[in-house]
């Protein structure tokens, strides 16, 4: 995983969009915005996932393959929804199984931070954080999705900041 400030250029979102010179963002800075990261080793991958699920009370899991083949005729619409800035009332938890892609999060200074993920990365986006997702130019990512409850997966788009979990998120971030 690598994170850096997004260049905010209006070009294809699948390009790296890394500022020049690059402004790296550390795991600690991501944590300050409530984003958690684990690097899972290849051996006993599932055991590591099971331990994180037990520690963080994640009860359900499924898989998603974000590709033309994986999503079929839903692909274009899903890609558009994923890249539309949104938040959830629950954590967004993804263990990357294959491929690569980008999660963009709005940090606590409201800057776009691009998080490049690859197989072996596990990322947790906190409830209430504004984020978006895109594939990169490889156009393929397979991820395990973990959930505290049964997923009622409701991406809620900006600019409404009145959501209770947005307020709760901001309170937690301000408290840090
Ligand atoms: C790899 S799926 C991530 C896309 C997303 O933000 C979502 O599921 O809401
Ligand atoms: Fe999301």
């Amino acid at each position: 995983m690598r994170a850096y400030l997004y260049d905010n250029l209006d070009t294809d979102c699948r390009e790296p969009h890394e500022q020049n010179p690059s402004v790296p963002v550390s795991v600690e800075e991501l944590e300050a915005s409530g984003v958690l990261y684990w690097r899972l080793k290849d051996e006993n991958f599932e055991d590591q996932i099971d331990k994180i699920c037990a520690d963080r009370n994640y009860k359900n899991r499924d898989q998603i393959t974000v590709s033309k083949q994986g999503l079929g005729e839903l692909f274009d619409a899903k890609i558009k929804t994923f890249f539309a800035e949104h938040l959830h009332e629950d954590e967004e938890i993804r263990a990357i199984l294959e491929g690569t892609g980008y999660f963009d999060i709005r940090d606590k200074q409201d800057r776009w931070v691009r998080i490049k993920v690859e197989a072996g990365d596990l990322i947790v986006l906190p409830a209430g954080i504004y984020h978006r997702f895109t594939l990169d130019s490889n156009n393929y990512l397979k991820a395990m999705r973990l959930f505290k409850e049964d997923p009622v997966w409701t991406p809620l788009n900006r600019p409404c900041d009145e959501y209770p979990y947005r307020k709760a998120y901001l309170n937690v971030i301000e408290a840090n």
Side-chain angles (χ1 to χ4, degrees):
M1 180 278 287
R2 229 165 46 82
Y4 50 82
L5 287 191
Y6 190 79
D7 65 7
N8 296 311
L9 295 180
D10 196 15
T11 56
D12 184 337
C13 60
R14 294 178 192 179
E15 292 172 6
H17 284 282
E18 187 160 7
Q19 290 186 11
N20 182 14
S22 174
V23 179
V25 174
S26 69
V27 170
E28 291 72 24
E29 288 172 290
L30 290 175
E31 279 178 10
S33 291
V35 175
L36 303 178
Y37 168 73
W38 287 262
R39 178 67 192 167
L40 303 174
K41 296 185 289 300
D42 290 343
E43 63 279 0
N44 59 46
F45 186 90
E46 288 286 335
D47 294 348
Q48 295 167 77
I49 296 271
D50 292 344
K51 174 145 185 3
I52 292 167
C53 288
D55 292 348
R56 299 182 59 83
N57 202 23
Y58 299 149
K59 297 197 191 81
N60 295 294
R61 64 182 76 176
D62 67 6
Q63 286 190 9
I64 183 170
T65 301
V66 186
S67 68
K68 209 72 173 136
Q69 194 185 3
L71 295 174
E73 75 274 1
L74 292 177
F75 178 72
D76 292 332
K78 272 287 182 190
I79 285 290
K80 215 161 155 229
T81 307
F82 285 158
F83 198 64
E85 186 173 358
H86 65 277
L87 57 80
H88 305 287
E89 66 268 35
D90 292 317
E91 290 175 325
E92 178 167 310
I93 309 133
R94 301 287 183 270
I96 311 306
L97 303 175
E98 296 171 7
T100 47
Y102 297 116
F103 286 89
D104 295 342
I105 61 116
R106 276 202 184 275
D107 72 3
K108 59 184 191 180
Q109 288 102 310
D110 217 27
R111 303 172 305 179
W112 275 121
V113 173
R114 173 149 282 196
I115 305 171
K116 180 176 177 65
V117 293
E118 60 183 6
D121 291 336
L122 190 151
I123 188 168
V124 177
L125 306 185
I129 193 168
Y130 280 111
H131 67 282
R132 61 193 184 191
F133 170 82
T134 180
L135 294 170
D136 61 17
S137 52
N138 296 315
N139 284 319
Y140 178 77
L141 176 135
K142 182 176 181 183
M144 185 186 289
R145 300 192 306 181
L146 305 172
F147 304 94
K148 278 201 159 78
E149 305 301 334
D150 278 330
V152 179
W153 206 240
T154 48
L156 296 160
N157 298 322
R158 208 178 171 92
C160 174
D161 277 327
E162 284 75 50
Y163 297 125
Y165 21 82
R166 178 66 183 163
K167 280 196 174 16
Y169 165 72
L170 293 174
N171 291 341
V172 165
I173 291 305
E174 292 324 314
N176 281 347

